[in-house]
Each structure stands twice: as structure tokens, then as C-alpha cells.
Amino acid sequence: MDRNGSLSLVFGFAGILLIPSLPAWSTMNFEIGRDYGVGMQAAFITEGDLNGDGNLDLAVANQSDNSITVLINSGKGVFTLKEVPLAAGKKNPVALAIGDLDGDGRNDMVAANVQTIQSGVIPFSEGGLILFFAKEDGTYDQVALSDRGIPSYITITDMDGDKKNDIVSGNLGELSFDLLSGGISQIDTGIEIYTNRGGRNFSNPKTVDIPGSVIQVIAGDFDKDGTQDVLGVVQGTPTYSGILLQLALQDPNITLFKGATGGPTPGDTAGLSHVPWSADIADFDGDGQPDMAVALTGDSDPSNALSFLGRNASIEIYRHTDNGFVSVQSVPVPGIAYWVMAQDFNLDGKIDLAVTTEEVIGSGQNIDMIPHLLIYENQGGNFVLAQTLNMDYNLPRYAVAGDFDKDGDVDIAVMSTIVDATAGFGTNQPVNGNVRVFFNNAKTRVGDWALY
């Protein structure tokens, strides 16, 4: 049976060997696998082995369904779905991470949730984390931790070197408006660190404040001093134009939270030309240092207050140097750039890029959003668009990369938040979520083999 469940033919003849041909096939060739319907207003996707069988599984946060969809991998890239509801009274999961939190050898989950969503002066409040401790029977014990503002992203890592996994969350902060003056203020932006004390017990969060909404956090020893640092992808601080009736973000950047004995402190920042959505770390130039790719969403047409994003989007490449991250290349992206992934997709020894996008056709109220997954091949340090994959489902904002069918190359799973656009401009409503798996054929397709 092939990975889609249909019968495939396998030939085996004594004395005949299938040997990889040289040079290796370098052209990108992803194929569309299966689509999986998940919950309403799918908000985030992550990956990890959730049942201890060695296969990469998936998990999706369903914001409007107050649940997590767990997708268990057969080992061939075929997934079986299971819904895990949030504990009674808990609502709106918006981010997820997978890792072993209690040291029992089983991977657990952490979900960030926004408990209250309302239309008052502070529209979002009472953020928190929910820890899902895995049990032998496949169910979870849930424990809630308090957070501030609007938690946006979670990573699980050992921050203090004690061999126990801690939790780091990014925060979008809370907004308040002065309706008389048109002013806007923002509080509680930055990161939170929950130290693992063992026995399923975590400390109250250590908060590290910075200006601007943090949409993603990445942990690693970026300055090679033996302590764990955190990179924060900062979308900026909000401003409001009463003339154009627009809410905008200013001063987007990448902030390094430098590791120290008492926990990370804000360090260097790298300013960005447009609002970022994501970043990924990889060694692009082969010097053994962690470089960085940042996806920028682009900007609006300044002459049209109703225009959408989608102009001047890019993936910015930063090289790691003794002086921090230095911008070295800008890769133009058609449409709005969302989730960027850095992997050697064609197995040629060089790191390539994949990014989810929405191409914007038209302007004002006549807008069509065309979702894509774009693959950029690293050709001698230059990134060239090698494959455009259609999504069919809108809002493909998050994705994960991994060898889901265990054939030796890196596949991609894209999560989409499907909306109902039939009600007209400005009234799009989330109706469902979807995960589409794209299988990479770099290792196994017929073109990679010669018959002897």
C-alpha cells in the first residue's frame, strides 16, 4: 500500500540492484498528499511524537472549538484524528508546543489560550497556558497556568541547564483605547519563562518586557557563551491614524533576549522594513553558525486606505557574525508572506526555504486571496523560486516540516483557517480548519534511481 492507502506495485528481482544515480536530483518536486479537516478556526499547528512509536504526529489548536486535534501518524504519512477538548471552562487555544515536561519519556503538550474575548475597552484578556501531561492510555491530565496579555507562541526548552524542560511564551500584549483622543496604549509585551521545578510543578512566570508585540520565540545559544538565549520576532507597537482609519504597527524588529544566570535580558535588536510573521534558524552558508530567515508580510498601498497587504513582501536572510545577525539578502515573495521554514528539501547539502503565502489580486473591496506554498531552492547562496504549490484553502498561516512518511526527505504540513467569504467584505467568518500534507519526492521518486 502506498502512503495514500492505494495499492502500488513493488518489483524485486534477484541480482538486480536499485542504486541512486549521481549527481543527486536537485529539482524540487513536492506532491499533494491528503487533506485533513480539523476544528473550527484552526489557529496553530505543531509536530512531535505523541504516542512514542517514533513517528512524527501533528497537533492543531482549534480556537473556536476549544479543543486540540491530535493527528496520529501511521508512519507512512497517513494520519488518524482524535479530538482533545480543553478542560471545562477553558477557551480559545491559540498556540501549541510539544515536549516532555515531566521527565517520564512521553511527550506532553502546552497550549496558550486567551480566556476572554470581548468587544469592550480591552478586547482580549486573561491569557494563560494549559499543560497536557500525557498518560499511558493516550489521554491527558490538564493543568492551567496563568499568563498575562495575549500569549502568542510557545517553545519548550531547557533554559537553565538543569536537564528539565522549561516553557517560554511570547506575548502580543493588551491594548487599551482612549476613544476621546484616539490614543492607543499597549502593556505586557515581551516574553514569559516558566521554570520547571520537577514533579509537574512550574514556577510563576519570569517576565521580560520589551516594546512591541512578540509573535514568535526561538530558543538557542546564539552567542555561543553556554547559556540559552531567546530570539523574539517582534511585530511592533500599535499606532492609530484617525484620518485613514487604520491601525498600524511601527518599529518591527528581531530582539535577542540574551541568556544570563538570572534569566534572559533584552539585548540587541535588528530593525525590519515591514511587519514580520515568522522566522527560522539554519546554517545557510555552511560556517557552523546559526543564520536566520525572516518572513515579512509586506505593506499596503499608501494611496488606498482600503488596500490590503501584499506589496513588497520578502524573506530576509541574516548571517550570523561576531557582531550578531547581519542582513545579507532579500528574497522577494509574491503576496503576503507568512510561515517560513529552512530545510535542505532537495538533499543537495544546502539549506532551502519554504513559505506559506497569499497572493493578493485586486484592491479595495475587490480582493481575491490566492493561497500558495512556495519552495525556494538555494542555488549557490541565491534563493530561486523552484515550485509553487496551490493550497485551495485560505489563510495558510502556519506550517511544519518533517519526514512524515519516513522516506529520508523533509515533507511539509500546512494548516489553513478556512473562512466564509460569501457574506461580503469585512465579514469573513471562520468556518473550519484544514491540514494539507505535501510529500517530498527528493528521495524516492523514480527519477532518482538508475536500474543496473
Side-chain angles (χ1 to χ4, degrees), residues 220-229 256-261 320:
D221 183 6
F222 299 112
D223 53 8
K224 302 297 183 180
D225 67 351
T227 59
Q228 194 83 327
D229 310 306
L256 174 65
F257 296 86
K258 182 175 171 54
T261 302
H320 191 281

Side-chain angles (χ1 to χ4, degrees), residues 22-59:
L22 296 174
W25 195 287
S26 62
T27 303
M28 300 294 181
N29 185 8
F30 283 83
E31 64 171 309
I32 296 175
R34 283 188 172 182
D35 287 330
Y36 297 90
V38 292
M40 186 172 178
Q41 199 173 355
F44 196 85
I45 185 171
T46 190
E47 65 181 351
D49 182 3
L50 289 170
N51 60 353
D53 63 357
N55 303 320
L56 277 179
D57 307 308
L58 302 170

Side-chain angles (χ1 to χ4, degrees), residues 7 70 79 105 151 170 179 213 254 273 282 303 330 342 368 384 398-399 414 430 434 438 447:
L7 184 65
V70 172
F79 295 87
L179 299 180
S213 300
I254 303 293
S273 59
S303 66
S330 180
D368 286 327
V384 178
Y398 293 98
V414 181
N434 178 268
F438 292 91

Side-chain angles (χ1 to χ4, degrees), residues 103-172:
D104 64 356
R106 289 188 293 269
N107 273 335
D108 310 300
M109 297 189 294
V110 181
N113 75 305
V114 183
Q115 189 65 14
T116 302
I117 297 181
Q118 57 191 29
S119 58
V121 174
I122 301 178
F124 303 95
S125 63
E126 298 182 27
L129 302 185
I130 302 172
L131 312 186
F132 293 79
F133 292 104
K135 299 194 295 185
E136 290 186 15
D137 62 1
T139 62
Y140 294 90
D141 292 326
Q142 297 186 36
V143 175
L145 300 178
S146 62
D147 203 342
R148 57 181 189 154
I150 307 173
S152 60
Y153 193 91
I154 306 166
T155 189
I156 297 174
T157 185
D158 181 6
M159 288 296 298
D160 52 11
D162 65 354
K163 309 302 181 182
K164 296 190 291 290
N165 277 328
D166 309 304
I167 302 169
V168 182
S169 67
N171 209 303
L172 298 179

Side-chain angles (χ1 to χ4, degrees), residues 231-247:
L231 282 176
V233 181
V234 184
Q235 290 195 318
T237 56
T239 60
Y240 180 74
S241 170
I243 298 175
L244 295 178
L245 301 178
Q246 288 180 325
L247 184 66

Side-chain angles (χ1 to χ4, degrees), residues 413-426:
V414 181
M415 184 213 77
S416 296
T417 304
I418 305 170
V419 300
D420 180 8
T422 61
F425 180 76

